[in-house]
Amino acid sequence: MTTSSHCGGKQSETREMAGIDARLEGADHTLSLVPVPTPEDYPRTIRAHRRTDGMATTVPGASPGLTYVFTYLMGREATPDQIAQWCRTVLRDQDRPLADALALLDRIITITPQIVSASAWRREGVLLLGDCAHGMHNIGGQGVNTSIQDALLVAEALCRHAEDGGSGPIDDFIALRRPFIDEFQTARQRVLADE
C-alpha cells in the first residue's frame, strides 16, 4: 500500500487561525518513507547511505518497533516495488538486518517536499516560527535545524520583551531572521534544482 503526504508546514492551523497566507513551492519529485519492523537488538541510531543514484537514511521510530527508511531517488518515477528493492540493495552491505526486514514491507509513504514562505511571521499576538513560517525541503534536516534556531532566538527576544516591554525584541528577531531564511530557502532550491 502507498500513502501520500505533504511536508514542510503546508498545513498550519496556527497560520490559518492568524489569517496569514503562505506561498507554497512544490518539488518536481517525491520522497519515500518506508516503515520497517525494527530487527531485534537493532541500534537506535540514524544512518545515512549516500549513492550516486540516491540517498537512504534510516531513522528509529519514536517508540521501539518501527524503523523508517527515508529515501530520495534520482530516478524520480520509481514504483513502490522498485523503491523497496533499491532500499534492500543500498542497506544490504551496512544494515543487513534492516535490509532483511524490508521483506516484510507492507506500505510506502510518499512525500512531496515543499518550501513554505509565510507572507508575515507575526499578526495580532501570534508569532510563527519553524515550518509554519518557513517550511523547508526535507532533505538534510534543515527544517529541524532552522526551527530550533528560531526557538532559541525567540526565547531570547521574549526575555528581553519581559524586561523592557514593547514589541522591539520580536521585531528585531524578524528583521534579523527573515532575510537569512529567505536566502537559505533560495539556496536550497538552487541545490535541489542541480541534483
Side-chain angles (χ1 to χ4, degrees), residues 14-15 17-18 20 121-128:
T14 303
R15 192 176 60 227
M17 286 189 305
I20 299 173
W121 286 12
R122 181 181 66 178
R123 179 172 292 157
E124 298 175 10
V126 175
L127 176 65
L128 304 179

Side-chain angles (χ1 to χ4, degrees), residues 70-136:
F70 185 78
T71 65
Y72 166 70
L73 298 178
M74 297 304 288
R76 295 176 175 170
E77 299 301 321
T79 66
D81 287 340
Q82 290 170 326
I83 292 168
Q85 182 56 43
W86 185 86
C87 287
R88 282 190 285 274
T89 301
V90 170
L91 299 178
R92 191 170 293 127
D93 292 337
Q94 296 176 17
D95 268 335
R96 187 60 186 243
L98 199 60
D100 292 343
L102 273 162
L104 303 173
L105 179 70
D106 66 350
R107 68 183 173 135
I108 293 176
I109 302 163
T110 60
I111 302 167
T112 303
Q114 296 172 317
I115 287 181
V116 175
S117 182
S119 60
W121 286 12
R122 181 181 66 178
R123 179 172 292 157
E124 298 175 10
V126 175
L127 176 65
L128 304 179
L129 48 119
D131 280 355
C132 66
H134 50 73
M136 303 282 179

Side-chain angles (χ1 to χ4, degrees), residues 23-195:
R23 187 180 79 250
L24 306 174
E25 296 179 43
D28 63 351
H29 62 283
T30 59
L31 306 173
S32 301
L33 186 63
V34 183
V36 183
T38 304
E40 189 173 339
D41 298 325
Y42 187 77
R44 291 187 55 79
T45 58
I46 297 173
R47 295 180 176 168
H49 305 270
R50 294 182 181 269
R51 295 174 19 145
T52 56
D53 59 343
M55 174 184 74
T57 305
T58 62
V59 180
S63 60
L66 281 180
T67 296
Y68 296 92
V69 182
F70 185 78
T71 65
Y72 166 70
L73 298 178
M74 297 304 288
R76 295 176 175 170
E77 299 301 321
T79 66
D81 287 340
Q82 290 170 326
I83 292 168
Q85 182 56 43
W86 185 86
C87 287
R88 282 190 285 274
T89 301
V90 170
L91 299 178
R92 191 170 293 127
D93 292 337
Q94 296 176 17
D95 268 335
R96 187 60 186 243
L98 199 60
D100 292 343
L102 273 162
L104 303 173
L105 179 70
D106 66 350
R107 68 183 173 135
I108 293 176
I109 302 163
T110 60
I111 302 167
T112 303
Q114 296 172 317
I115 287 181
V116 175
S117 182
S119 60
W121 286 12
R122 181 181 66 178
R123 179 172 292 157
E124 298 175 10
V126 175
L127 176 65
L128 304 179
L129 48 119
D131 280 355
C132 66
H134 50 73
M136 303 282 179
H137 278 289
N138 54 341
I139 295 176
Q142 297 307 315
V144 172
N145 290 338
T146 57
S147 295
I148 291 169
Q149 293 167 12
D150 280 0
L152 292 171
L153 292 169
V154 166
E156 289 177 6
L158 290 174
C159 287
R160 288 195 316 273
H161 172 76
E163 291 171 5
D164 59 21
S167 62
I170 300 298
D171 292 338
D172 292 345
F173 158 75
I174 294 171
L176 170 75
R177 194 75 175 142
R178 182 99 198 215
F180 169 80
I181 291 294
D182 290 347
E183 185 177 330
F184 191 86
Q185 285 182 323
T186 300
R188 289 301 299 154
Q189 285 176 301
R190 282 195 301 264
V191 167
L192 289 166
D194 291 341
E195 288 182 345

